[in-house]
Amino acid sequence: MAEQGRSDRPRRGGSERAGASRPRAGGAKQPPAKGSDQRFRQQRGRGPERHDDRQRRDSAGRPENNRLERRGDRQRREASDRTSRPAESARPGLARRKNEPPLPEGVDSRSLHAAVRAELRSLPKELAEIVAAHLVVAGQLVDDDPELAYAHAEAARRRAARLPIVREAAAETAYAAGRYDVALSEFRALRRMTGSQDYLPVMADCERALGRPHNAIKLAREADRVGLDPALRIEMIIVEAGARRDLGQDHEARRILERAVALARPEDISPIAVARLRYAYADALLDAGKESEARQWFAAAATLDPDHEIDAQQRVDELDGFMIDYDEDDEAGNQSSNEPR
């Protein structure tokens, strides 16, 4: 999961799209086999026409009526076998696997976005309910228990891998859990399925996390060609600068961030996106030993982050010497010493 305050990771967040329509499965029914004795009997209303009174026999010399009776017995046995099979085998996806997390009681799928529910309508009703429940739980757990969230998203993916929203849940939870190889694979699949370029920043960050900064820079160049939403463009700039720093190109990283900071205006772009850009620039300046400039840009980031989504104000306090060390062990010891004996 991305650490609190990290400036060089793209922000998570699903895009809540409705899936594209797909052709329905199925085709024309097969016609009955030609030459069937049973079909012939139904049409004629009587047995096969005979040219003499002798009983017709099959190729093994057995009476033909016995052969037809045996055929009927076999068909009845096959029909009985089909009806005696468990319901799960006839309706794949409903049975829970042993390694799959159980769904808690009372999961309300109505909390899903309307576009997500619309995408799930392409599934059979019972299957859609199970997938929806796993998506709800995954969304509830992604920040507190990303591993369990990923397990629920994977349970949904096993049942409905063709739905973009399900693949996106698997990608987001895998990313939060630090499973960057899985996340990258899922984001690539999403890009193919939807045709959207919005996944490029997080794909580049996965490449960085996997120790491949050159691949991250290649994706950044690709993003320049396709064009991204301004907020997503900022995320890509942050990741590219991080990849440059991974390669020891600190000066180039600062140059990229400085140019972006000069052009980014919070009134034109999401304020939190601009705050993250300023934070990344401040962090790069601090690494270069420019503390006063770094403090200035951390403070500028904090002014755009009233909800403290990033720790910009904390970084300002650290530079001002106002950092208070809080030791949980000492606190626990003080509480126990004050308890009545």
Side-chain angles (χ1 to χ4, degrees):
M1 187 173 183
E3 295 93 340
Q4 175 72 13
R6 277 292 300 276
S7 63
D8 54 358
R9 294 269 179 89
R11 289 165 56 80
R12 286 191 296 105
S15 55
E16 297 176 340
R17 295 174 306 278
S21 60
R22 295 179 178 82
R24 295 182 179 273
K29 294 182 179 179
Q30 292 293 331
K34 294 183 179 180
S36 164
D37 289 318
Q38 293 289 353
R39 182 173 66 87
F40 186 77
R41 284 188 181 187
Q42 292 167 0
Q43 291 175 346
R44 302 284 292 182
R46 60 179 185 271
E49 294 184 357
R50 300 178 184 177
H51 296 285
D52 54 34
D53 293 330
R54 290 176 298 177
Q55 189 177 41
R56 297 184 63 186
R57 295 179 178 271
D58 61 15
S59 59
R62 294 170 294 198
E64 190 174 45
N65 59 341
N66 292 342
R67 177 171 60 86
L68 298 176
E69 289 173 4
R70 286 194 298 274
R71 181 189 299 171
D73 291 341
R74 185 176 67 253
Q75 292 173 343
R76 284 190 293 271
R77 284 195 303 272
E78 291 174 352
S80 176
D81 289 343
R82 285 194 296 270
T83 57
S84 63
R85 290 172 187 163
E88 287 80 2
S89 63
R91 294 179 295 175
L94 299 185
R96 174 175 162 261
R97 288 184 177 178
K98 291 182 180 179
N99 63 345
E100 189 175 289
L103 285 167
E105 295 290 335
V107 178
D108 187 2
S109 61
R110 291 175 297 179
S111 62
L112 289 173
H113 191 277
V116 177
R117 295 199 303 273
E119 191 167 329
L120 293 176
R121 290 194 192 105
S122 62
L123 301 174
K125 184 177 180 181
E126 288 183 80
L127 185 60
E129 290 174 356
I130 295 174
V131 171
H134 279 294
L135 292 180
V136 170
V137 178
Q140 293 171 345
L141 293 172
V142 65
D143 291 321
D144 299 325
D145 192 344
E147 279 290 345
L148 185 54
Y150 171 70
H152 279 284
E154 181 61 21
R157 183 192 180 283
R158 180 174 70 84
R159 294 173 168 88
R162 293 184 179 181
L163 297 185
I165 190 60
V166 173
R167 300 298 286 269
E168 187 163 344
E172 292 283 350
T173 54
Y175 180 85
R179 296 171 175 259
Y180 299 111
D181 54 340
V182 176
L184 180 59
S185 176
E186 293 297 326
F187 283 125
R188 282 173 175 166
L190 272 166
R191 189 185 179 199
R192 290 193 301 269
M193 294 167 75
T194 64
S196 173
Q197 310 300 332
D198 293 354
Y199 303 106
L200 285 172
V202 73
M203 287 169 59
D205 190 61
C206 289
E207 293 283 10
R208 258 196 83 200
L210 293 170
R212 301 191 291 249
H214 287 291
N215 289 355
I217 293 172
K218 288 179 182 178
L219 289 172
R221 290 172 181 166
E222 187 174 349
D224 285 337
R225 293 194 298 270
V226 301
L228 293 175
D229 174 89
L232 287 174
R233 178 63 191 142
I234 284 178
E235 298 300 332
M236 181 58 90
I237 289 170
I238 293 171
V239 176
E240 181 185 3
R244 295 286 182 183
R245 291 171 70 182
D246 293 342
L247 293 170
Q249 302 173 6
D250 293 354
H251 179 75
E252 179 64 12
R254 290 196 303 274
R255 187 190 68 79
I256 292 171
L257 291 168
E258 183 178 10
R259 182 178 59 185
V261 163
L263 296 175
R265 295 287 181 269
E267 57 269 19
D268 300 327
I269 311 173
S270 165
I272 189 60
V274 178
R276 285 172 49 76
L277 179 62
R278 292 176 177 180
Y279 185 107
Y281 182 45
D283 204 37
L285 289 169
L286 189 61
D287 277 356
K290 302 180 179 182
E291 288 192 10
S292 60
E293 293 181 58
R295 186 203 178 283
Q296 173 189 345
W297 285 105
F298 278 130
T303 60
L304 298 177
D305 181 29
D307 297 327
H308 303 289
E309 293 187 36
I310 54 179
D311 64 348
Q313 186 57 53
Q314 182 178 332
R315 300 295 295 274
V316 172
D317 293 341
E318 288 176 2
L319 290 172
D320 289 344
F322 293 142
M323 188 65 185
I324 299 175
D325 291 329
Y326 180 79
D327 192 326
E328 294 182 358
D329 293 335
D330 290 345
E331 179 68 17
N334 290 337
Q335 288 180 351
S336 62
S337 64
N338 293 329
E339 290 177 356
R341 297 181 181 179

